[in-house]
Amino acid sequence: MLYTAASGASRVMEAQAIRANNLANADTTGFKADLERVNAKVIAPIGDSLQTRVLAQTQGSGFSRQSGTLNPTGRTLDLAINNAGLFSVMTAEGEGYTRAGAMTADATGQLTLDGRPVAGLAGPIVLPEYRELFIGDDGRINIIADADGVIEEVGQLKLVNPDIALMSKGLDGLLYPQDRQPLPASEEVTVSSGFLEASNVQAVGELIAAMDLSRQFEVQVKLMKSAEKLAEAGNRLLRDA
């Protein structure tokens, strides 16, 4: 009884951490809510003992594949993917992928996303000085450099369209394929400039789930206290025998 209750309480604490992280990222652009998955693992009995112990084991949580709403910003370098697809960024471990599209140019003109270089079809994208900038729905970046009005293409975003069910979320919040190999670019993915995809976290649902988990934790603690009282009663009987 004590073992089962302690196992359940530990599982509830892990679930609470997942819910708290989702709520903390309810306003994070492109964030995908983590999911909670639990497996009931039966502990094999020893000798003639009864099979009564069950371990609640948290598995790889996965994440919600639902798309967030597109919010207009009016900023050219704010990009949102229409329907399926992911942006590509460069990391120390290779390419990572995300739905967040709040891009900025650093002091050298390199296009970055959350401090990471944005991947283009020909490598990282560096913007020269420009007067106006346009981004097409296929991810092509064009600029007007001077008053002559000549339009110049300076790069194209690497947009990928993998099976999202085969992707996993890293500790950095980016999505990665299982083999961690770079994904091929897809011509089917389109983007909208001047929009950002909101987080897909359902704040009300997460709050309700967190409250339910708190009640579950209280039940597990009561079970542990009951197990302690039963053990004390058993010890008194042995002492009095």
Side-chain angles (χ1 to χ4, degrees), residues 11-79:
R11 196 280 306 176
V12 169
M13 291 180 65
E14 293 176 351
Q16 283 280 38
I18 292 174
R19 302 294 181 180
N21 182 64
N22 287 341
L23 286 171
N25 288 279
D27 294 326
T28 300
T29 301
F31 180 80
K32 299 299 181 187
D34 291 315
L35 301 177
E36 174 194 354
R37 292 178 181 171
V38 180
N39 181 40
K41 183 178 180 181
V42 177
I43 306 300
I46 299 175
D48 297 329
S49 61
L50 296 176
Q51 184 173 298
T52 58
R53 294 189 299 170
V54 179
L55 173 65
Q57 189 174 46
T58 301
Q59 296 180 318
S61 59
F63 58 92
S64 171
R65 298 191 289 272
Q66 182 180 358
S67 297
T69 58
L70 301 187
N71 298 323
T73 65
R75 181 174 175 269
T76 304
L77 286 176
D78 283 343
L79 303 175

Side-chain angles (χ1 to χ4, degrees), residues 32 65-68 70 80-87 98-99 137 159-165 175 186-192 197:
K32 299 299 181 187
R65 298 191 289 272
Q66 182 180 358
S67 297
L70 301 187
I81 291 180
N82 303 315
N83 301 315
L86 298 167
F87 296 108
T98 180
R99 294 277 294 188
D137 58 4
L159 305 172
V160 300
N161 189 19
D163 183 353
I164 200 71
L175 304 180
S186 172
E187 297 180 356
E188 300 176 355
V189 183
T190 61
V191 300
S192 294
E197 180 180 341

